[in-house]
Each structure stands twice: as structure tokens, then as C-alpha cells.
């Protein structure tokens, strides 16, 4: 998912013909499907103390909101049979347990597994020798000491690209907490150790780890890989999406019954994953801001009624930035209301998994529970990506 961003601030004939193999099932503990929840709104004064102030002052405060979803009993029709099922708020470990250990390391994935999320996320980039590795960026300098080990291996833009290094070379690097361009930690209170030798790991290693832990503990934690910068990789001569799909299938995570979601910020690539690669598993269209440079997708258009209809031809769900979830005009009138596009997503039976809940970037004056509760009731999201599993899992446990 994306680098740190301020939250709630400015701080594809029809679907059954396009993908008849994709079935939608009632949501249960570890098998996510889609539900429709009416858009709700409430006077700020009746929801939470200082809610409106918190939402409208996020930029000035430099804070960030996150995570939402739903957890109550609902009736849904499936295969012409009506049955009662417990709705399930899906918890996704964002880059592993990245709030506690350096992101995307095997250690962070192991800690995340031990805490009991539904899915663990893996961002995937491809090495010089065409091996998928788990890194949030196509660049290395923000999370490794590449500039110390290979000082002359940057491109003309001054950045170090994973695609320019073999796996053997990447193994020589030490992974550290995400840093800004000035070398300071993005999240200053997170892991501060300097001696642990965290390493870049392959996608195969991550999938094997989760598969083996699932086997031994008789659990079913799923995987949630993202194809990073697919257009960049195509220009580099490698099909990143095919590599990820092949790896999902190799470890039993792919396909209609696979316990996974495959995500991407590039709408053309989402279409290609369905039409060219013929992938039948669950796919999520990630939505950001146009100026983030994630792809040439027009995210503003995606968040229209027609845009959501087109997304629903290819994707099972939406992974939206939290800053897109609330209606700014409603806030100006003293109300907290979901943005209009949320209703379009629900109308098209799209799962909504927003990103990213961070316990260390909450809006001023609000607790984790308040943020989760408000966003659940107003937005009706189906789950959340989170750096901090503990507060989200505790909140979900109370609901159950």
C-alpha cells in the first residue's frame, strides 16, 4: 500500500458474462465476500465528542484516520437459500506487523501471523534475475542500507531500484524501518533497534512461511499480494502480474477457492489479470490520488457511478485510501456522511477494504475504538488494512 499519507484530509457485456466463475458467498470468519450496507449519516454531535472537529482539523494536526468495517448479524441469499451468517470484519496485516517490526520482513510476517489476522499483505517487485521479492517500493533506499553497500548502483534519478539487483545482491542488504529522504524514521516511535539483521525475502518464502504455519496450527490465514508498478515492470521486460499469479497458484492460494486477494493500483492491469492471464481468484482495485503517480489510472473517474460499474466487471473489491471515504460537503454542514461513491461500490457488491489504520496516526482527540466504530457505522466497510493489529483485533473481539 502507499507511503504514509494523511487521512480524511487533503494533509467491464455484464459481470456474469465477464467472470461467470467468480461466486459471491456469505461472509464468514475466513471467507470474505460482499455485502451491501446502506449509506448512513449522523449528526456529528450525536456520534462522538469532537468528531467533526477531529475530521476537519486533520491537516493542521498532521494526523491520520483509518480502518472501518462491519460486524453484525445479517441475512443474505446464496444459491437460492437464505441463511443467517455472522458478518465478519476482515483484518489485513499491512506489510505484516509493520507497526511493530520493519515492514515486509519474514519476522514481521511471523509476528502478524501470531496475532491472528485474516490476511497478511505482500507488496511484490521483481529482481534483476526475475525473482519476486516482497518490498513496498520498486526503490530500495527508504527501507534498506543499499546506499552503503552499493553506493554507485543508483540510476540517474539518484534512486536505487530493486530491478537492478539480483536476489543474491539484495541478500547483502539490511532492512530497516521506513525512512524519509533525510534518513529519519517515518514513524519515530516504531522499531528502533540497530543490530537485528532483517533481510529482503522472496514471495515464495513468505507464502511458504504462511502455508507451513497454517498447516501446523490448523489455521487459515490468507495472503493479499499487490503487484507493484506493473507498467514499470513491463517496460523492464518482465510480467510481474504473471509471476505473482503463478506463485499464488503454486502455493494453493490462487483461483476461485484460494484464500487470497490480488490487488493492484493499475486498472488496465486489473483488466489484463482477468482477460489475458485468465485469473479466477478474488481481485481488488486499489484507489489512490491521481497525483501519487501509482499508475495512469484516473482514480477520480473510478469513484463515479459509471467507474464503479466498470470496476465491478473485473474486480471483487475496492481498496480505497481512507481520505476518500467521507463527504466533505456534508462535513461542512456539520454532518458525517459517506462519500457518494461508497453507495456506488455497495450497489455493485464490491467489498471495501480501506487502507491504512495506524494507531500512531489517529485524528486528534479520537481513540482507535472511536475511529473504528464511526467508520463502521458511517461507511460500512468490510475490513481494513492495518499496521497495528492489536487494537483492531481487540475492537473486533468486543463486537463478537
Amino acid at each position: 500500500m502507499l507511503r504514509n499519507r494523511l487521512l480524511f484530509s487533503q494533509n467491464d457485456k455484464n459481470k456474469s458474462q465477464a467472470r461467470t466463475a467468480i461466486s459471491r458467498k456469505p461472509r464468514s470468519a475466513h471467507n470474505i465476500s460482499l455485502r451491501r450496507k446502506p449509506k448512513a449519516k449522523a449528526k456529528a454531535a450525536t456520534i462522538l465528542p469532537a468528531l467533526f472537529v477531529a475530521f476537519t482539523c486533520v491537516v493542521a494536526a498532521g494526523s491520520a484516520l483509518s480502518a472501518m468495517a462491519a460486524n453484525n448479524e445479517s441475512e443474505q441469499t446464496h444459491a437460492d437459500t437464505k441463511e443467517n451468517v455472522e458478518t465478519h470484519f476482515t483484518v489485513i496485516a499491512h506489510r505484516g506487523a509493520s507497526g511493530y517490526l520493519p515492514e515486509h520482513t519474514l519476522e514481521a510476517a511471523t509476528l502478524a501471523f501470531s496475532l491472528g489476522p485474516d490476511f497478511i499483505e505482500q507488496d511484490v517487485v521483481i529482481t534483476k534475475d526475475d525473482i519476486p521479492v516482497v518490498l513496498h517500493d520498486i526503490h530500495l533506499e527508504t527501507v534498506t542500507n543499499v546506499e552503503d553497500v552499493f553506493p554507485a548502483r543508483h540510476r540517474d534519478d539518484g534512486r536505487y531500484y530493486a530491478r537492478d539487483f539480483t536476489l543474491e545482491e539484495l541478500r547483502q542488504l539490511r532492512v530497516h524501518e521506513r525512512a524519509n529522504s533525510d534518513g529519519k524514521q517515518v514513524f519515530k516511535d516504531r522499531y528502533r533497534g540497530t543490530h537485528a539483521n532483517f533481510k529482503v525475502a522472496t514471495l515464495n518464502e513468505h507464502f511458504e512461511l504462511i502455508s507451513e504455519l497454517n498447516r501446523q496450527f490448523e489455521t487459515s490465514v490468507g495472503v493479499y499480494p499487490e503487484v507493484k508498478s506493473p507498467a514499470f515492470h513491463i517496460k523492464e521486460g518482465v510480467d510481474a502480474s504473471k509471476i505473482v499469479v503463478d506463485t499464488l497458484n503454486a502455493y494453493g492460494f490462487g483461483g476461485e477457492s484460494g484464500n487470497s486477494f490480488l490487488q493492484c493500483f493499475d486498472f488496465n492491469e486489473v483488466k489484463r489479470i482477468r482477460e489475458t492471464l485468465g485469473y479466477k481468484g478474488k481481485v481488488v482495485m486499489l484507489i489512490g490520488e491521481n497525483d501519487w503517480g501509482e499508475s495512469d489510472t484516473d482514480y477520480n473517474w473510478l469513484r463515479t457511478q459509471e467507474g464503479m460499474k466498470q470496476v465491478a466487471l473485473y474486480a471483487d473489491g475496492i481498496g480505497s485510501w481512507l481520505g476518500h471515504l467521507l463527504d466533505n460537503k456534508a462535513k461542512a454542514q456539520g454532518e458525517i456522511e459517506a462519500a457518494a461513491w461508497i453507495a456506488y461500490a455497495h450497489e455493485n457488491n464490491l467489498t471495501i477494504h480501506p487502507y491504512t489504520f495506524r494507531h500512531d496516526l489517529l485524528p486528534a482527540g479520537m481513540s482507535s475504538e472511536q475511529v473504528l466504530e464511526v467508520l463502521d457505522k458511517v461507511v460500512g466497510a468490510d475490513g481494513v488494512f492495518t499496521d497495528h493489529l492489536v487494537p483492531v483485533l481487540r475492537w473486533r473481539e468486543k463486537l463478537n
Side-chain angles (χ1 to χ4, degrees):
M1 309 303 301
L2 288 175
R3 49 201 170 276
N4 173 37
R5 296 191 179 280
L6 294 182
L7 192 44
F8 287 118
S9 67
Q10 301 300 327
N11 168 342
D12 263 305
K13 234 165 176 173
N14 61 35
K15 184 162 188 173
S16 61
Q17 293 172 318
R19 292 193 288 111
T20 56
I22 300 298
S23 63
R24 302 195 182 280
K25 304 175 182 177
R27 197 165 29 174
S28 59
H30 288 287
N31 191 353
I32 317 311
S33 71
L34 307 109
R35 71 186 173 117
R36 187 178 301 172
K37 183 170 180 177
K39 182 172 65 173
K41 68 179 180 179
K43 291 289 183 179
T46 66
I47 298 179
L48 288 172
L51 179 59
F52 179 66
V53 174
F55 282 158
T56 54
C57 294
V58 165
V59 175
S63 41
L65 227 234
S66 3
M68 38 243 71
N71 207 324
N72 25 43
E73 300 266 335
S74 67
E75 272 194 6
Q76 296 186 10
T77 303
H78 176 60
D80 299 322
T81 300
K82 184 170 284 188
E83 57 182 337
N84 290 326
V85 295
E86 180 183 343
T87 60
H88 181 76
F89 179 71
T90 304
V91 179
I92 306 142
H94 185 241
R95 309 180 200 171
S98 58
Y100 314 104
L101 288 173
E103 64 186 49
H104 283 322
T105 57
L106 289 175
E107 291 85 350
T110 303
L111 177 57
F113 183 97
S114 73
L115 293 171
D118 300 292
F119 294 90
I120 300 174
E121 184 200 30
Q122 303 82 27
D123 294 319
V124 187
V125 301
I126 313 300
T127 67
K128 186 175 183 178
D129 42 354
D130 293 348
I131 296 172
V133 292
V134 181
L135 288 165
H136 173 60
D137 295 320
I138 58 176
H139 307 114
L140 295 166
E141 67 274 6
T142 57
V143 291
T144 75
N145 63 337
V146 63
E147 66 275 19
D148 297 325
V149 180
F150 299 104
R153 294 280 295 276
H154 56 79
R155 294 194 182 187
D156 291 342
D157 60 2
R159 307 207 67 177
Y160 297 81
Y161 289 73
R163 181 63 181 161
D164 294 336
F165 296 82
T166 65
L167 178 60
E168 181 181 2
E169 290 171 329
L170 291 180
R171 298 289 203 199
Q172 299 176 46
L173 308 180
R174 183 177 61 82
V175 176
H176 54 66
E177 273 288 330
R178 178 165 291 276
N180 289 314
S181 57
D182 60 4
K184 295 181 180 179
Q185 282 193 194
V186 172
F187 301 97
K188 64 183 182 64
D189 292 325
R190 296 192 184 181
Y191 191 85
R192 297 174 179 173
T194 59
H195 296 292
N197 195 16
F198 299 107
K199 293 294 185 181
V200 174
T202 68
L203 184 61
N204 296 65
E205 289 168 337
H206 275 264
F207 283 4
E208 179 185 271
L209 173 69
I210 296 167
S211 295
E212 283 298 297
L213 292 175
N214 276 332
R215 177 183 64 82
Q216 294 178 89
F217 289 97
E218 299 182 346
T219 52
S220 56
V221 174
V223 299
Y224 211 124
E226 178 190 342
V227 181
K228 298 297 297 188
S229 305
F232 164 83
H233 283 98
I234 291 293
K235 288 180 181 178
E236 293 286 318
V238 61
D239 190 337
S241 294
K242 185 178 187 306
I243 290 174
V244 175
V245 166
D246 288 348
T247 309
L248 280 166
N249 292 334
Y251 284 87
F253 286 117
E256 294 177 80
S257 59
N259 194 17
S260 67
F261 284 90
L262 176 58
Q263 54 180 335
C264 187
F265 273 103
D266 190 322
F267 188 39
N268 287 330
E269 191 68 10
V270 167
K271 293 188 209 178
R272 199 178 76 86
I273 287 169
R274 287 294 192 206
E275 296 181 328
T276 303
L277 300 183
Y279 185 64
K280 304 298 184 183
K282 296 185 288 294
V283 174
V284 164
M285 178 70 229
L286 295 171
I287 297 181
E289 288 281 6
N290 289 342
D291 62 5
W292 292 355
E294 289 292 329
S295 75
D296 60 4
T297 300
D298 184 351
Y299 301 115
N300 294 330
W301 177 79
L302 287 188
R303 297 195 309 277
T304 65
Q305 191 166 24
E306 179 60 27
M308 284 294 107
K309 286 181 181 179
Q310 290 298 309
V311 168
L313 293 177
Y314 304 96
D316 299 273
I318 294 293
S320 171
W321 176 47
L322 290 165
H324 292 148
L325 298 178
L326 296 185
D327 187 293
N328 291 325
K329 291 182 179 179
K331 286 195 297 182
Q333 297 172 4
E335 296 178 340
I336 300 302
E337 180 178 348
W341 75 268
I342 296 293
Y344 308 148
H346 287 311
E347 288 169 5
N348 286 281
N349 287 330
L350 288 164
T351 293
I352 302 175
H353 289 163
Y355 61 90
T356 306
F357 176 89
R358 291 177 168 120
H359 186 65
D360 51 6
L361 275 176
L362 295 171
M366 295 188 71
S367 68
S368 291
E369 287 195 2
Q370 288 174 327
V371 170
L372 292 164
E373 192 68 24
V374 169
L375 293 174
D376 173 34
K377 288 179 169 55
V378 175
V379 176
D382 299 274
V384 71
F385 287 85
T386 180
D387 290 2
H388 296 94
L389 289 165
V390 173
V392 181
L393 291 169
R394 284 177 178 168
W395 172 80
R396 184 174 74 174
E397 182 66 23
K398 289 181 179 180
L399 294 182
N400 293 334

